[in-house]
Amino acid sequence: MTFSSPGDQSYGPDAEVVELCSELIRFDTTNYGNGKSNGERDAAEYVAAKLDEVGIESTIYESEPGRASLVAHWEGEDATAEPLLVHGHLDVVPADPKDWKVDPFAGEIFDGCVWGRGAVDMKDFDAMVLSVVRARQRAGVKPRRPVRLVFTADEEAGGLYGAQWLIKNHPETISDCTEGIGEVGGFSVTMKDDLRLYLIETAEKGMNWMRLKARGTAGHGSMVNNDNAVTNLVEAVTRIGNHEWPLRLTPTVKEFLATLEDVLGTELDPEDMTETLAKLGSFSRMFGATIRNTANPTMLNAGYKVNVIPGDAEAHIDGRFLPGYEDEFFATIDELLGDKVQRETVIEDIALETSYDGRLVEIMKSVLTAEDPQSRTAPLLMSGGTDAKSWSRLGVRCFGFVPLQLPPDLDFMGMFHGIDERVPTASLEFGSRVLDRFFTEA
């Protein structure tokens, strides 16, 4: 293939993206948490080789053996401009093959999609970035300003061995960047006919993964026991799991709802989200978690024999709090726990929120419109978290921008950490073209 310039039809920023995505998925980079993972070093070396082929040198940093993150510098036309951070992670959450239609690490391509763990979270973006970078390098077409490419380990377990380790041990790799893009936003939600709303992430909930511990009186399972650790724990877990958190609308959500009103041509009641959620299809599951704090019980552990009442029991809670509502979150949790259960933090991280304005936001809007004239954009508060939390500690203003034009019937939200994860090949190609325009302007 001959490359010339972004405006020439022979230029192919999307030429490799499907193949690259498939190849990345074939690296089993499962992150099991608690410091255990597979294949991050192998995936980082693959990325390094792909960059090296087009003349971009990279450095691989290991926080522990095998826990590898890659940093590379892509020269821009204006060498004096502040670098733009472009970040993606290489690890994925576990996948049980028996639950899937396909081998989750085979990277199969069929039914117009690339299938496998990481297809959505987030080897799709890694592939899109590599495809665009390689095409532009081959064509001799630099981005407008320098770009700092970062591919991290351990994002799926809070980044202790990835982004958090990098900013503590090698802050110089990021410290000259003031803006950045990465997961999760940029995808489309079809609202009506051909009108698609692209959601650009400007905020994230904070997180506190906590361990609950209950102590009781151990004894024989056949006897009366009014101080049962399992009972004490389960009662607290039930109170937390069933708690109805109050509605809280952050500036990001308020602006999203204002855009949604304009798109739908109808007023929305901010005090009653039932009707609003019904209009959002599968996206409602994420949006529903952005209007309140959440705390979901996820793990239980107690006992070792059916006729022995254990002296202690444990549970884990995935807690997420909105920007500005951290104090309310912990005060509520402590009230729900009662006096027989204690909590301790396993992993915690901050909430983020930036305004939906500025030059970079306008560029994201314009490049989406250039590829999809039937588009509108709105800010997104993400219910989960990303490495943006780490970069923000060094003063980087981060946005979620993984541009994907999605079919209206695809349950995209269900792809995140779900079974049969897949991304349409046409969406990957669309995203590569958008990113190509973005690097020209940003």
Side-chain angles (χ1 to χ4, degrees), residues 296-318:
N296 286 309
T298 56
M299 298 170 63
L300 291 169
N301 184 37
Y304 50 87
K305 196 170 186 294
V306 70
N307 63 343
V308 177
I309 298 172
D312 54 68
E314 292 187 356
H316 284 75
I317 303 289
D318 184 341

Side-chain angles (χ1 to χ4, degrees), residues 157-160 164 168 205-210 317-321 326 329-330 343-351 389-390 393:
L160 295 177
Q164 288 197 42
K168 290 176 183 177
K205 295 176 82 171
M207 61 183 286
N208 188 283
W209 294 349
M210 65 189 78
I317 303 289
D318 184 341
R320 311 280 176 151
F321 50 87
E326 181 176 1
F329 172 80
F330 286 112
R343 65 174 171 88
E344 62 181 41
T345 295
V346 178
I347 293 178
E348 64 181 336
D349 217 333
I350 58 176
K389 297 178 187 298
S390 294
R393 290 184 170 92

